[in-house]
PDB file of all heavy atoms in Angstrom:
ATOM      1  N   LYS A   9     -10.494  -2.671   6.579  1.00  0.00           N
ATOM      2  CA  LYS A   9     -10.138  -4.036   6.188  1.00  0.00           C
ATOM      3  C   LYS A   9     -10.520  -4.304   4.721  1.00  0.00           C
ATOM      4  O   LYS A   9     -11.254  -3.514   4.109  1.00  0.00           O
ATOM      5  CB  LYS A   9     -10.833  -5.026   7.136  1.00  0.00           C
ATOM      6  CG  LYS A   9     -10.352  -4.908   8.605  1.00  0.00           C
ATOM      7  CD  LYS A   9     -11.004  -5.986   9.482  1.00  0.00           C
ATOM      8  CE  LYS A   9     -10.497  -5.909  10.920  1.00  0.00           C
ATOM      9  NZ  LYS A   9     -11.031  -7.023  11.749  1.00  0.00           N
ATOM     10  N   TYR A  49      -1.083  -9.503  13.606  1.00  0.00           N
ATOM     11  CA  TYR A  49      -2.020 -10.133  14.539  1.00  0.00           C
ATOM     12  C   TYR A  49      -1.347 -11.200  15.414  1.00  0.00           C
ATOM     13  O   TYR A  49      -2.027 -12.100  15.910  1.00  0.00           O
ATOM     14  CB  TYR A  49      -3.194 -10.753  13.775  1.00  0.00           C
ATOM     15  CG  TYR A  49      -4.324  -9.783  13.464  1.00  0.00           C
ATOM     16  CD1 TYR A  49      -4.731  -9.534  12.161  1.00  0.00           C
ATOM     17  CD2 TYR A  49      -5.016  -9.121  14.490  1.00  0.00           C
ATOM     18  CE1 TYR A  49      -5.777  -8.663  11.874  1.00  0.00           C
ATOM     19  CE2 TYR A  49      -6.058  -8.254  14.216  1.00  0.00           C
ATOM     20  CZ  TYR A  49      -6.441  -8.028  12.915  1.00  0.00           C
ATOM     21  OH  TYR A  49      -7.491  -7.165  12.642  1.00  0.00           O
ATOM     22  N   HIS A  52      -2.825 -12.803  18.452  1.00  0.00           N
ATOM     23  CA  HIS A  52      -3.908 -13.789  18.325  1.00  0.00           C
ATOM     24  C   HIS A  52      -3.422 -15.132  17.766  1.00  0.00           C
ATOM     25  O   HIS A  52      -4.232 -15.945  17.332  1.00  0.00           O
ATOM     26  CB  HIS A  52      -5.002 -13.248  17.401  1.00  0.00           C
ATOM     27  CG  HIS A  52      -5.787 -12.110  17.979  1.00  0.00           C
ATOM     28  ND1 HIS A  52      -6.218 -12.080  19.282  1.00  0.00           N
ATOM     29  CD2 HIS A  52      -6.234 -10.946  17.423  1.00  0.00           C
ATOM     30  CE1 HIS A  52      -6.893 -10.955  19.507  1.00  0.00           C
ATOM     31  NE2 HIS A  52      -6.897 -10.248  18.399  1.00  0.00           N
ATOM     32  N   ARG A  55      -5.178 -18.333  18.664  1.00  0.00           N
ATOM     33  CA  ARG A  55      -6.649 -18.368  18.589  1.00  0.00           C
ATOM     34  C   ARG A  55      -7.089 -19.191  17.375  1.00  0.00           C
ATOM     35  O   ARG A  55      -6.407 -19.239  16.350  1.00  0.00           O
ATOM     36  CB  ARG A  55      -7.220 -16.950  18.470  1.00  0.00           C
ATOM     37  CG  ARG A  55      -6.698 -15.976  19.533  1.00  0.00           C
ATOM     38  CD  ARG A  55      -7.254 -16.250  20.918  1.00  0.00           C
ATOM     39  NE  ARG A  55      -8.667 -15.896  21.001  1.00  0.00           N
ATOM     40  CZ  ARG A  55      -9.117 -14.657  21.220  1.00  0.00           C
ATOM     41  NH1 ARG A  55      -8.267 -13.656  21.348  1.00  0.00           N
ATOM     42  NH2 ARG A  55     -10.411 -14.418  21.306  1.00  0.00           N
ATOM     43  N   PHE A  57      -9.247 -18.631  15.188  1.00  0.00           N
ATOM     44  CA  PHE A  57      -9.556 -17.848  13.986  1.00  0.00           C
ATOM     45  C   PHE A  57      -8.320 -17.243  13.320  1.00  0.00           C
ATOM     46  O   PHE A  57      -8.442 -16.540  12.308  1.00  0.00           O
ATOM     47  CB  PHE A  57     -10.587 -16.753  14.311  1.00  0.00           C
ATOM     48  CG  PHE A  57     -10.188 -15.795  15.411  1.00  0.00           C
ATOM     49  CD1 PHE A  57      -9.335 -14.726  15.168  1.00  0.00           C
ATOM     50  CD2 PHE A  57     -10.671 -15.971  16.705  1.00  0.00           C
ATOM     51  CE1 PHE A  57      -8.974 -13.835  16.175  1.00  0.00           C
ATOM     52  CE2 PHE A  57     -10.314 -15.094  17.724  1.00  0.00           C
ATOM     53  CZ  PHE A  57      -9.461 -14.022  17.457  1.00  0.00           C
ATOM     54  N   LEU A  61      -8.341 -15.367   9.765  1.00  0.00           N
ATOM     55  CA  LEU A  61      -8.204 -13.906   9.879  1.00  0.00           C
ATOM     56  C   LEU A  61      -7.028 -13.387   9.054  1.00  0.00           C
ATOM     57  O   LEU A  61      -7.153 -12.372   8.350  1.00  0.00           O
ATOM     58  CB  LEU A  61      -8.018 -13.528  11.358  1.00  0.00           C
ATOM     59  CG  LEU A  61      -7.697 -12.060  11.651  1.00  0.00           C
ATOM     60  CD1 LEU A  61      -8.838 -11.144  11.208  1.00  0.00           C
ATOM     61  CD2 LEU A  61      -7.408 -11.867  13.145  1.00  0.00           C
ATOM     62  N   ARG A  85     -12.860   2.972  19.201  1.00  0.00           N
ATOM     63  CA  ARG A  85     -13.490   1.669  19.484  1.00  0.00           C
ATOM     64  C   ARG A  85     -15.008   1.838  19.597  1.00  0.00           C
ATOM     65  O   ARG A  85     -15.764   0.956  19.188  1.00  0.00           O
ATOM     66  CB  ARG A  85     -12.918   1.069  20.786  1.00  0.00           C
ATOM     67  CG  ARG A  85     -11.433   0.738  20.746  1.00  0.00           C
ATOM     68  CD  ARG A  85     -11.063  -0.516  20.009  1.00  0.00           C
ATOM     69  NE  ARG A  85     -11.811  -1.686  20.377  1.00  0.00           N
ATOM     70  CZ  ARG A  85     -11.510  -2.918  19.966  1.00  0.00           C
ATOM     71  NH1 ARG A  85     -10.449  -3.134  19.183  1.00  0.00           N
ATOM     72  NH2 ARG A  85     -12.239  -3.948  20.305  1.00  0.00           N
ATOM     73  N   MET A  88     -16.440   2.163  16.154  1.00  0.00           N
ATOM     74  CA  MET A  88     -16.361   0.871  15.460  1.00  0.00           C
ATOM     75  C   MET A  88     -17.501  -0.060  15.868  1.00  0.00           C
ATOM     76  O   MET A  88     -18.069  -0.752  15.037  1.00  0.00           O
ATOM     77  CB  MET A  88     -15.034   0.176  15.803  1.00  0.00           C
ATOM     78  CG  MET A  88     -13.812   0.799  15.165  1.00  0.00           C
ATOM     79  SD  MET A  88     -12.283   0.231  15.983  1.00  0.00           S
ATOM     80  CE  MET A  88     -12.409  -1.550  15.798  1.00  0.00           C
ATOM     81  N   ALA A  90     -18.835  -3.306  18.675  1.00  0.00           N
ATOM     82  CA  ALA A  90     -18.297  -4.577  19.182  1.00  0.00           C
ATOM     83  C   ALA A  90     -17.742  -5.436  18.045  1.00  0.00           C
ATOM     84  O   ALA A  90     -18.203  -5.341  16.897  1.00  0.00           O
ATOM     85  CB  ALA A  90     -19.386  -5.342  19.918  1.00  0.00           C
ATOM     86  N   THR A  91     -16.778  -6.301  18.398  1.00  0.00           N
ATOM     87  CA  THR A  91     -16.129  -7.197  17.434  1.00  0.00           C
ATOM     88  C   THR A  91     -17.175  -7.956  16.617  1.00  0.00           C
ATOM     89  O   THR A  91     -17.089  -8.025  15.390  1.00  0.00           O
ATOM     90  CB  THR A  91     -15.221  -8.196  18.178  1.00  0.00           C
ATOM     91  OG1 THR A  91     -14.345  -7.465  19.028  1.00  0.00           O
ATOM     92  CG2 THR A  91     -14.435  -9.055  17.209  1.00  0.00           C
ATOM     93  N   ARG A 102     -19.525  -1.170  12.598  1.00  0.00           N
ATOM     94  CA  ARG A 102     -19.729  -2.617  12.451  1.00  0.00           C
ATOM     95  C   ARG A 102     -21.206  -2.981  12.413  1.00  0.00           C
ATOM     96  O   ARG A 102     -21.613  -3.857  11.638  1.00  0.00           O
ATOM     97  CB  ARG A 102     -18.972  -3.347  13.555  1.00  0.00           C
ATOM     98  CG  ARG A 102     -17.458  -3.358  13.291  1.00  0.00           C
ATOM     99  CD  ARG A 102     -16.668  -3.779  14.502  1.00  0.00           C
ATOM    100  NE  ARG A 102     -15.269  -4.107  14.174  1.00  0.00           N
ATOM    101  CZ  ARG A 102     -14.353  -4.413  15.086  1.00  0.00           C
ATOM    102  NH1 ARG A 102     -14.669  -4.426  16.368  1.00  0.00           N
ATOM    103  NH2 ARG A 102     -13.115  -4.718  14.718  1.00  0.00           N
ATOM    104  N   ILE A 109     -18.517 -12.010  11.717  1.00  0.00           N
ATOM    105  CA  ILE A 109     -17.649 -11.616  12.833  1.00  0.00           C
ATOM    106  C   ILE A 109     -16.251 -11.277  12.314  1.00  0.00           C
ATOM    107  O   ILE A 109     -15.609 -10.355  12.805  1.00  0.00           O
ATOM    108  CB  ILE A 109     -17.628 -12.670  13.958  1.00  0.00           C
ATOM    109  CG1 ILE A 109     -16.828 -12.145  15.173  1.00  0.00           C
ATOM    110  CG2 ILE A 109     -17.081 -14.007  13.496  1.00  0.00           C
ATOM    111  CD1 ILE A 109     -17.035 -12.908  16.453  1.00  0.00           C
ATOM    112  N   GLU A 110     -15.787 -12.017  11.292  1.00  0.00           N
ATOM    113  CA  GLU A 110     -14.456 -11.751  10.740  1.00  0.00           C
ATOM    114  C   GLU A 110     -14.461 -10.515   9.826  1.00  0.00           C
ATOM    115  O   GLU A 110     -13.584  -9.648   9.950  1.00  0.00           O
ATOM    116  CB  GLU A 110     -13.978 -12.972   9.950  1.00  0.00           C
ATOM    117  CG  GLU A 110     -12.591 -12.793   9.338  1.00  0.00           C
ATOM    118  CD  GLU A 110     -12.161 -14.061   8.608  1.00  0.00           C
ATOM    119  OE1 GLU A 110     -12.596 -14.257   7.453  1.00  0.00           O
ATOM    120  OE2 GLU A 110     -11.420 -14.855   9.211  1.00  0.00           O
ATOM    121  N   LYS A 111     -15.420 -10.445   8.955  1.00  0.00           N
ATOM    122  CA  LYS A 111     -15.478  -9.347   7.981  1.00  0.00           C
ATOM    123  C   LYS A 111     -16.243  -8.185   8.603  1.00  0.00           C
ATOM    124  O   LYS A 111     -17.399  -7.918   8.281  1.00  0.00           O
ATOM    125  CB  LYS A 111     -16.129  -9.829   6.682  1.00  0.00           C
ATOM    126  CG  LYS A 111     -15.260 -10.879   5.995  1.00  0.00           C
ATOM    127  CD  LYS A 111     -15.839 -11.375   4.700  1.00  0.00           C
ATOM    128  CE  LYS A 111     -14.893 -12.346   4.020  1.00  0.00           C
ATOM    129  NZ  LYS A 111     -14.509 -13.517   4.855  1.00  0.00           N
ATOM    130  N   ASN A 112     -15.523  -7.495   9.508  1.00  0.00           N
ATOM    131  CA  ASN A 112     -16.175  -6.440  10.291  1.00  0.00           C
ATOM    132  C   ASN A 112     -15.619  -5.050   9.977  1.00  0.00           C
ATOM    133  O   ASN A 112     -15.643  -4.156  10.821  1.00  0.00           O
ATOM    134  CB  ASN A 112     -16.127  -6.775  11.784  1.00  0.00           C
ATOM    135  CG  ASN A 112     -14.705  -6.983  12.286  1.00  0.00           C
ATOM    136  OD1 ASN A 112     -13.745  -6.780  11.556  1.00  0.00           O
ATOM    137  ND2 ASN A 112     -14.575  -7.358  13.545  1.00  0.00           N
ATOM    138  N   VAL A 114     -13.516  -2.769   9.990  1.00  0.00           N
ATOM    139  CA  VAL A 114     -12.468  -1.921  10.569  1.00  0.00           C
ATOM    140  C   VAL A 114     -11.708  -2.620  11.690  1.00  0.00           C
ATOM    141  O   VAL A 114     -12.245  -3.486  12.382  1.00  0.00           O
ATOM    142  CB  VAL A 114     -13.052  -0.594  11.137  1.00  0.00           C
ATOM    143  CG1 VAL A 114     -13.288   0.424  10.032  1.00  0.00           C
ATOM    144  CG2 VAL A 114     -14.303  -0.831  11.963  1.00  0.00           C
ATOM    145  N   HIS A 115     -10.465  -2.185  11.840  1.00  0.00           N
ATOM    146  CA  HIS A 115      -9.642  -2.535  12.999  1.00  0.00           C
ATOM    147  C   HIS A 115      -9.347  -1.258  13.767  1.00  0.00           C
ATOM    148  O   HIS A 115      -9.168  -0.200  13.168  1.00  0.00           O
ATOM    149  CB  HIS A 115      -8.307  -3.162  12.552  1.00  0.00           C
ATOM    150  CG  HIS A 115      -7.313  -3.247  13.680  1.00  0.00           C
ATOM    151  ND1 HIS A 115      -7.305  -4.291  14.568  1.00  0.00           N
ATOM    152  CD2 HIS A 115      -6.358  -2.369  14.104  1.00  0.00           C
ATOM    153  CE1 HIS A 115      -6.360  -4.068  15.477  1.00  0.00           C
ATOM    154  NE2 HIS A 115      -5.772  -2.909  15.218  1.00  0.00           N
ATOM    155  N   GLY A 116      -9.230  -1.367  15.086  1.00  0.00           N
ATOM    156  CA  GLY A 116      -8.747  -0.243  15.899  1.00  0.00           C
ATOM    157  C   GLY A 116      -7.953  -0.763  17.075  1.00  0.00           C
ATOM    158  O   GLY A 116      -8.339  -1.750  17.707  1.00  0.00           O
TER     159      GLY A 116
HETATM  160  N1  UDP B   1     -12.304 -12.464  14.808  1.00  0.00           N
HETATM  161  C1  UDP B   1     -12.905 -13.582  14.253  1.00  0.00           C
HETATM  162  N2  UDP B   1     -13.561 -14.457  15.096  1.00  0.00           N
HETATM  163  C2  UDP B   1     -13.633 -14.245  16.446  1.00  0.00           C
HETATM  164  C3  UDP B   1     -13.016 -13.121  16.994  1.00  0.00           C
HETATM  165  C4  UDP B   1     -12.363 -12.233  16.144  1.00  0.00           C
HETATM  166  O1  UDP B   1     -12.852 -13.800  13.051  1.00  0.00           O
HETATM  167  O2  UDP B   1     -14.244 -15.066  17.149  1.00  0.00           O
HETATM  168  C5  UDP B   1     -11.596 -11.531  13.905  1.00  0.00           C
HETATM  169  C6  UDP B   1     -12.344 -10.216  13.671  1.00  0.00           C
HETATM  170  O3  UDP B   1     -12.055  -9.777  12.333  1.00  0.00           O
HETATM  171  C7  UDP B   1     -11.694  -9.297  14.698  1.00  0.00           C
HETATM  172  C8  UDP B   1     -10.237  -9.767  14.648  1.00  0.00           C
HETATM  173  O4  UDP B   1     -10.339 -11.179  14.503  1.00  0.00           O
HETATM  174  O5  UDP B   1     -11.851  -7.933  14.351  1.00  0.00           O
HETATM  175  C9  UDP B   1      -9.405  -9.458  15.874  1.00  0.00           C
HETATM  176  O6  UDP B   1     -10.088  -9.918  17.022  1.00  0.00           O
HETATM  177  P1  UDP B   1     -10.202  -9.020  18.317  1.00  0.00           P
HETATM  178  O7  UDP B   1     -10.719  -9.866  19.420  1.00  0.00           O
HETATM  179  O8  UDP B   1      -8.898  -8.300  18.549  1.00  0.00           O
HETATM  180  O9  UDP B   1     -11.362  -7.974  17.924  1.00  0.00           O
HETATM  181  P2  UDP B   1     -11.294  -6.403  17.624  1.00  0.00           P
HETATM  182  O10 UDP B   1     -10.228  -5.806  18.512  1.00  0.00           O
HETATM  183  O11 UDP B   1     -11.004  -6.248  16.146  1.00  0.00           O
HETATM  184  O12 UDP B   1     -12.679  -5.903  17.973  1.00  0.00           O
END
Side-chain angles (χ1 to χ4, degrees):
K9 296 184 178 185
Y49 275 121
H52 290 318
R55 309 288 289 277
F57 57 81
L61 173 63
R85 296 283 310 189
M88 288 164 57
T91 307
R102 285 167 166 175
I109 186 165
E110 180 178 81
K111 294 181 176 56
N112 57 6
V114 280
H115 167 85

